Amino acid sequence: MTEGTEDGMDAYGVLDAVTAYQRSAVIATAVRVDVFGAIGEAAMTASAVARVCGTAEAPTRTLLDALADMSLLARDGSGTAPTYRRRGAAAQLARGGALSDLAAKEDYLAGQWQRLDETVRTGAPTIPSWRRRLEDDPASSRTFLRALVTLARMIGADLTGIAELGAGRAVVDAGGGLGSYAVPLADHGAHVRLVELPQVAAWCRDELAARADIEVVAADMLTVPALGVAPGSADTVLMSHLLHDLDDADVRTVLAGARDALRPGGAVVVLEIPGDAPAPLGAMFDLMMQIETPGRARRAGEVAELLREAGFDRVRDGGVAAPNLVLVGERG
Ligand SMILES: C[S@@+](CC[C@H](N)C(=O)[O-])C[C@H]1O[C@@H](n2cnc3c(N)ncnc32)[C@H](O)[C@@H]1O
């Protein structure tokens, strides 16, 4: 989908685009003050919501009206004291709900998008490195990773149909986050070892405590051999949404680690949203990666070339639906 008319975006399109931030700010604010948690299962007046949230009554009422206009609340009754009920996905936006993590992640990123001009001018990300974020703001980093799990469940690729990740395979999930893909693959019968930086590995052990079938390995894959597992011990290495965080030199390092982790004939499976994903996602996602990381959303052909350069043969498309891209390469 491209925006605008046949003659390009008209003035009304520009007006829509430059005011689009208002809708995200309304949801972000409601999540920050936990409007959806305050309302809970009951219908409430604006003054009751303001009391529970500790907010000013007049703007809270208007915020609730805006949420009702966006179909996240229902407004019942007219006059001076209408009540508001949650609608649609609103309950998941209450504190602790899956969509509240997603909203918090995007709220953080929205602030950084305001500085996109800095990245465009300098070519450098404005967001501190992931390691720095883990140290300086562990709570929001964990929320960020939880949001990735939610995204994987909502719009992630179904990897269970890829033979190399199937039942009985010894899969190393390199940079697996909090189990976005390790969980569905283990559910499907794969033997998964999830490799993560030590701080994330600790959270992962906590969140996956009930999953005896997923082993968590704490390692910095850029500094240890064979991604931190025994050389030749993996049938398959999965790299999901990892390469776009890394510059080319670090991509080469982790791909070399993957080769060493794999048995001869094993495979690497790379999942990415490529820079040439259908519009408008591809370019927007690439900008996001450049704001956020030293990496970028590479085009499908660029990822394939990096795999070949790293010694993977018969690189093929794994056949998942766009905007996701899966490439599979065999260890020669
Ligand atoms: C964008 S997240 C993707 C998480 C998950 N694979 C997914 O698809 O949702 C990238 C993950 O790679 C991990 N990571 C990045 N560099 C790493 C390194 N050098 N060693 C181990 N893990 C790393 C990060 O901690 C983060 O959880």
Side-chain angles (χ1 to χ4, degrees):
M1 184 193 76
T2 47
E3 293 181 70
T5 65
E6 220 171 81
D7 296 326
M9 183 184 276
D10 64 13
Y12 296 98
V14 172
L15 182 59
D16 270 356
V18 297
T19 53
Y21 68 90
Q22 293 170 2
R23 288 162 58 83
S24 46
V26 163
I27 295 182
T29 300
V31 169
R32 284 190 204 177
V33 303
D34 199 19
V35 159
F36 301 107
I39 292 179
E41 298 304 323
M44 282 172 88
T45 61
S47 59
V49 174
R51 219 170 23 253
V52 176
C53 294
T55 51
E57 185 173 332
T60 300
R61 179 184 307 278
T62 315
L63 182 72
L64 299 183
D65 285 335
L67 290 165
D69 292 345
M70 291 167 69
S71 305
L72 279 167
L73 294 177
R75 186 177 38 224
D76 298 314
S78 48
T80 51
T83 58
Y84 298 85
R85 284 179 290 115
R86 298 191 302 205
R87 267 187 95 189
Q92 296 176 62
L93 286 163
R95 190 157 294 151
L99 291 180
S100 76
D101 291 337
L102 188 56
K105 167 180 175 284
E106 296 304 330
D107 188 6
Y108 171 75
L109 292 174
Q112 301 296 326
W113 274 84
Q114 295 302 318
R115 301 172 57 194
L116 174 60
D117 61 312
E118 290 176 44
T119 293
V120 170
R121 284 180 218 279
T122 65
T126 55
I127 297 186
S129 74
W130 179 240
R131 282 179 180 73
R132 169 53 56 85
R133 286 167 67 192
L134 285 173
E135 252 179 63
D136 290 354
D137 195 353
S140 84
S141 303
R142 189 169 179 168
T143 297
F144 197 93
L145 290 173
R146 283 212 184 111
L148 296 187
V149 177
T150 300
L151 281 172
R153 300 294 167 267
M154 288 175 71
I155 53 168
D158 178 6
L159 300 180
T160 59
I162 294 178
E164 287 82 354
L165 297 168
R169 299 289 176 132
V171 175
V172 169
D173 183 6
L178 298 180
S180 309
Y181 291 94
V183 168
L185 291 176
D187 284 345
H188 208 66
H191 304 301
V192 184
R193 281 173 290 169
L194 185 158
V195 181
E196 261 297 345
L197 293 168
Q199 170 71 87
V200 180
W203 296 332
C204 205
R205 289 197 179 104
D206 181 28
E207 308 233 350
L208 301 180
R211 300 294 308 234
D213 54 345
I214 299 174
E215 184 189 337
V216 179
V217 178
D220 179 343
M221 300 183 295
L222 291 173
T223 60
V224 296
L227 307 179
V229 302
S233 66
D235 294 323
T236 309
V237 171
L238 170 65
M239 293 185 165
S240 100
H241 302 301
L242 172 70
L243 299 188
H244 62 221
D245 284 358
L246 307 176
D247 62 22
D248 285 357
D250 286 348
V251 168
R252 290 188 179 102
T253 303
V254 294
L255 288 177
R259 263 186 67 85
D260 293 343
L262 286 167
R263 62 165 171 77
V268 67
V269 176
V270 173
L271 168 62
E272 288 284 313
I273 293 181
D276 50 357
L281 181 62
M284 291 294 183
F285 190 74
D286 192 5
L287 284 175
M288 173 85 91
M289 289 306 110
Q290 294 188 49
I291 291 169
E292 199 185 339
T293 75
R296 64 203 161 85
R298 296 174 181 84
R299 294 171 163 261
E302 293 176 292
V303 180
E305 193 46 42
L306 284 162
L307 288 177
R308 282 188 209 102
E309 244 183 55
F312 290 97
D313 297 333
R314 287 194 280 273
V315 175
R316 66 165 212 272
D317 190 315
V320 302
N324 291 297
L325 167 77
V326 165
L327 292 179
V328 183
E330 284 175 33
R331 188 197 144 151

